[in-house]
Amino acid sequence: MRKNIVAGNWKMNMNLQEGLELAKELNEALKGKTVNCDVVIGTPFIHLATVAATVDTSRIGVAAQNCADKVSGAYTGEVSAAMVASTGAKYVILGHSERRAYYHETAETLKAKVTLALDNALTPIFCIGEVLEERESEKHFDVVKSQIEASLFDLPAEAFGKIVLAYEPVWAIGTGKTATAAQAQEMHAFIRSTVAQRYGQEVADNTSILYGGSANASNAKELFSNPDVDGGLIGGASLAVDKFMPIIEAF
Ligand code: PGA
């Protein structure tokens, strides 16, 4: 169950044509190559169906970057988990710090999103992570623990077993300030022990925990060599194949 995963998060970049080109290039780059991780790309909603129909989805998993917290109905502008699943996407990134900060996503909203994602057979890539002041005041472990508890720990063990976690210290996202390999390992081990306390060691050992925040071709190998770091959620460096492929190949 525990897998190595390198997931790209395109955020709000690339129009449809550019995104399709990038996805095709990645598809070509992976052709005939053996890689030691699952590869995922998180595209804007409007790209999902086209990208999923174009790439070899047995090699590249397609992810949305969000989904609605409601099933369906009069929620103008929203995109449901069922709609995401109907495009051929298999994953959904949930709880990214940009969504928590700029779109006021709460633990409760995220809980609903996680449930709807799972109901629609999507794998949530659930993001957690502290802001700089929280780390400087040594609250980072408490913050991360409560983010996990508040949105995920009501799930039964079987459902929790389908979640991928992504630890993304907010101070490292898009800043070029990567967490050190030791900081990542320390937090990932803490997250795994938090999961073990709630669901037992076996579930914890089977949980993939990704690192995100200025991960790139030069630091991926060191980050991924940690026993509790099972891959990365990659923003900036996922927007060009020559930057993204070396991260995939870091495993
Ligand atoms: P970054 O973004 O790699 O550009 O820091 C990571 C993320 O926000 O998922």
Side-chain angles (χ1 to χ4, degrees), residues 105-213:
E105 293 197 355
T106 64
E108 279 305 306
T109 327
L110 290 171
K111 204 167 164 175
K113 293 185 181 201
V114 166
T115 302
L116 288 166
L118 292 171
D119 286 350
N120 287 282
L122 293 170
T123 298
I125 300 176
F126 191 83
C127 305
I128 53 208
E130 80 284 358
V131 299
L132 187 59
E133 305 83 80
E134 290 162 343
R135 178 161 282 263
E136 285 174 341
S137 57
E138 293 185 8
K139 292 197 189 104
H140 46 302
F141 293 115
D142 290 343
V143 167
V144 167
K145 186 176 184 184
S146 54
Q147 287 172 338
I148 299 172
E149 275 173 352
S151 298
L152 301 177
F153 276 6
D154 285 345
L155 292 170
E158 203 214 327
F160 184 86
K162 295 177 178 150
I163 307 272
V164 171
L165 295 174
Y167 169 58
E168 298 205 303
V170 180
W171 47 270
I173 296 177
T175 57
K177 236 175 144 192
T178 325
T180 63
Q183 283 173 323
Q185 170 55 27
E186 183 187 37
M187 181 58 88
H188 283 227
F190 171 78
I191 292 169
R192 203 176 299 286
S193 74
T194 302
V195 172
Q197 277 164 27
R198 167 69 180 85
Y199 292 107
Q201 198 58 48
E202 196 183 334
V203 172
D205 286 341
N206 279 322
T207 303
S208 295
I209 309 175
L210 316 184
Y211 168 81

Side-chain angles (χ1 to χ4, degrees), residues 9 11 96 98 168 172-174 213-215 233-236:
N9 175 10
K11 308 192 181 185
H96 192 280
E98 286 151 16
E168 298 205 303
I173 296 177
S214 300
L233 183 56
I234 317 296

